[in-house]
Amino acid sequence: MEERIGEAFELGEQLTVVGSRLQAGDAAPDFTLDYFDPASSTMQTVRLADSAGKVRLLNVVNSLDTPVCHTETHRWHHLSDELPSGVIIYTISMDLPFAQARWHTAEGVTHQSLSSHRSEQFGHDYGVLLKEWRLLQRAVFVIDRDDRVAYAEYVADQMLEPDYQAPLRAVRKAAT
């Protein structure tokens, strides 16, 4: 498995990212992640293939319990009004699905958060696994209707939010 040193950091700590970077045009790797539905109190498995034919925006964060991830996930929630109809937003982290559901309920954020807590596979496949932390690197992916990566941004400084306008443009383009 490829390891990339120096592509992610927080304050003075250099982090090792595991997995290859995805680029626009690449096939989006399928994933199998957990979602806890607080309305029905059931654990569900969500795969990329479950939303085939739709445009998806993947907001990948370290943890919803950190200030930057909290702000970023709220921002995507508010920007969802600017997205074309039918676009799906998923926030993905290694937080436990119960913690994600609790956060979403408390914060009034309505898009699904998916948990990769069981396996590092998502992190490897999308090139976002932070080896030292066993968390995910901040990143944004837009997946088009044909399950191809339309946009990929890997945020090096884990204290910074991603670009919001470039992925919004990529979503709009993929949705037309």
Side-chain angles (χ1 to χ4, degrees):
M1 186 64 54
E2 178 182 347
E3 292 189 358
R4 304 179 337 263
I5 299 170
E7 290 189 23
F9 61 90
E10 181 171 302
L11 303 173
E13 184 180 2
Q14 291 295 314
L15 301 165
T16 306
V17 186
V18 180
S20 300
R21 279 180 170 246
L22 296 175
Q23 298 182 26
D26 288 347
D30 197 9
F31 55 71
T32 302
L33 301 172
D34 293 323
Y35 168 69
F36 182 76
D37 182 358
S40 64
S41 293
T42 59
M43 188 70 69
Q44 299 173 9
T45 299
V46 177
R47 298 181 58 223
L48 180 66
D50 296 340
S51 57
K54 296 190 180 273
V55 175
R56 282 99 354 140
L57 185 143
L58 309 183
N59 171 46
V60 182
V61 299
N62 308 143
S63 172
L64 290 170
D65 289 324
T66 62
V68 178
C69 300
H70 174 99
T71 298
E72 177 180 342
T73 304
H74 267 287
R75 182 99 185 257
W76 283 119
H77 171 73
H78 293 299
L79 287 170
S80 66
D81 292 341
E82 298 180 29
L83 299 176
S85 177
V87 172
I88 297 172
I89 298 176
Y90 293 125
T91 290
I92 302 172
S93 71
M94 292 185 93
D95 293 317
L96 291 174
F98 311 106
Q100 291 175 333
R102 189 171 41 253
W103 185 91
H104 275 263
T105 300
E107 297 297 325
V109 172
T110 55
H111 69 266
Q112 287 184 338
S113 272
L114 306 179
S115 175
S116 64
H117 76 103
R118 286 190 210 219
S119 166
E120 296 176 349
Q121 193 64 50
F122 176 87
H124 290 169
D125 292 348
Y126 280 77
V128 293
L129 179 65
L130 296 172
K131 183 177 180 179
E132 292 83 0
W133 293 355
R134 197 182 179 273
L135 294 174
L136 304 178
Q137 178 184 9
R138 186 176 320 288
V140 178
F141 301 96
V142 174
I143 311 299
D144 70 16
R145 291 181 172 130
D146 298 319
D147 294 335
R148 312 274 319 159
V149 175
Y151 175 86
E153 176 186 1
Y154 294 82
V155 180
D157 186 343
Q158 299 306 285
M159 295 299 290
L160 296 179
E161 295 173 57
D163 183 353
Y164 294 98
Q165 294 309 308
L168 284 174
R169 286 190 298 274
V171 164
R172 291 182 190 116
K173 183 177 177 184
T176 57

